[in-house]
Amino acid sequence: MTKDEADLHVERWRDHWVLDQAFDDDIEAMTVRIGAIQKFFKATTKEAVARVGLQDFEYETLHALMIRDTPGRASPGQLAQEMGVSGAGVTGRLDSMEKKGWLKRMPGADDRRRVEVEATREGLRLWREAMALRGSAEDDVAHVLTAKELTSLNRLLKKMTLHIEQARDADVG
């Protein structure tokens, strides 16, 4: 099989480690490959977002709004928390996106003193267009695997992410 960047990375770095420090070729190659795949997906998302005329922060805001349990609707505070952005940062985002017609603010359904943000049809259209472009890039990469390989990969990745989530939850609890 042809060597990839991870193979070359491992070959370069294998002999740089001190003799008393372990270097596992497979673990290093896995880490480099997962990083390369993540970089590819970030780049294709950035390209998709630009193609539909959104800036990164606008897509991020629409995405955070759309992937909620209540798709398309949230309070500014909820969005700020979910995106890890300050309240002032979210306010600036919402102001500019509301001017462009991609979202609107309105009184809360249960408490009219609260403000809720809702995606407009145009905001939803742009988000879906970017998601379709992004999904096309994801499909392109996934199609190099057979259905059985993709199932196996997902099973293995899930095993790793569950381990990470359990360790994180144990640290928090």
Side-chain angles (χ1 to χ4, degrees):
M1 184 180 277
T2 305
K3 289 183 182 181
D4 66 359
E5 289 181 23
D7 294 323
L8 299 174
H9 170 87
V10 167
E11 288 174 4
R12 278 192 309 271
W13 282 96
R14 183 183 301 119
D15 296 329
H16 290 290
W17 293 99
V18 196
L19 293 176
D20 62 344
Q21 190 171 5
F23 182 86
D24 187 308
D25 289 10
D26 289 332
I27 292 173
E28 187 69 15
M30 173 211 54
T31 304
V32 171
R33 288 184 178 111
I34 289 172
I37 291 167
Q38 179 62 22
K39 237 190 243 184
F40 171 80
F41 287 142
K42 279 186 176 188
T44 57
T45 297
K46 189 175 185 84
E47 182 182 318
V49 167
R51 271 182 66 184
V52 302
L54 293 170
Q55 294 183 50
D56 291 345
F57 76 89
E58 294 166 334
Y59 171 78
E60 179 187 8
T61 305
L62 287 170
H63 192 68
L65 197 55
M66 296 311 301
I67 63 169
R68 302 177 42 72
D69 290 339
T70 54
R73 182 172 268 207
S75 73
Q78 289 168 325
L79 286 174
Q81 183 179 8
E82 291 165 12
M83 293 187 298
V85 177
S86 72
V90 165
T91 298
R93 289 180 181 202
L94 298 180
D95 287 346
S96 70
M97 293 175 71
E98 191 170 30
K99 285 178 187 167
K100 293 177 180 179
W102 298 338
L103 53 80
K104 61 184 176 181
R105 294 183 190 134
M106 64 190 110
D110 299 330
D111 182 350
R112 299 197 53 79
R113 295 171 295 177
R114 288 191 56 196
V115 172
E116 288 188 351
V117 178
E118 186 175 273
T120 64
R121 285 182 192 252
E122 181 61 9
L124 180 58
R125 184 192 69 75
L126 288 169
W127 176 76
R128 283 186 172 159
E129 191 176 337
M131 288 294 290
L133 291 168
R134 177 182 164 188
S136 177
E138 293 168 358
D139 290 348
D140 184 55
V141 171
H143 281 98
V144 302
L145 302 175
T146 65
K148 186 176 180 180
E149 288 170 332
L150 185 57
T151 299
S152 294
L153 176 62
N154 273 310
R155 183 181 48 78
L156 296 169
L157 291 171
K158 181 177 181 177
K159 189 174 183 179
M160 294 172 78
T161 56
L162 284 172
H163 172 75
I164 292 166
E165 290 168 4
Q166 289 166 353
R168 179 193 62 216
D169 293 346
D171 287 344
V172 172

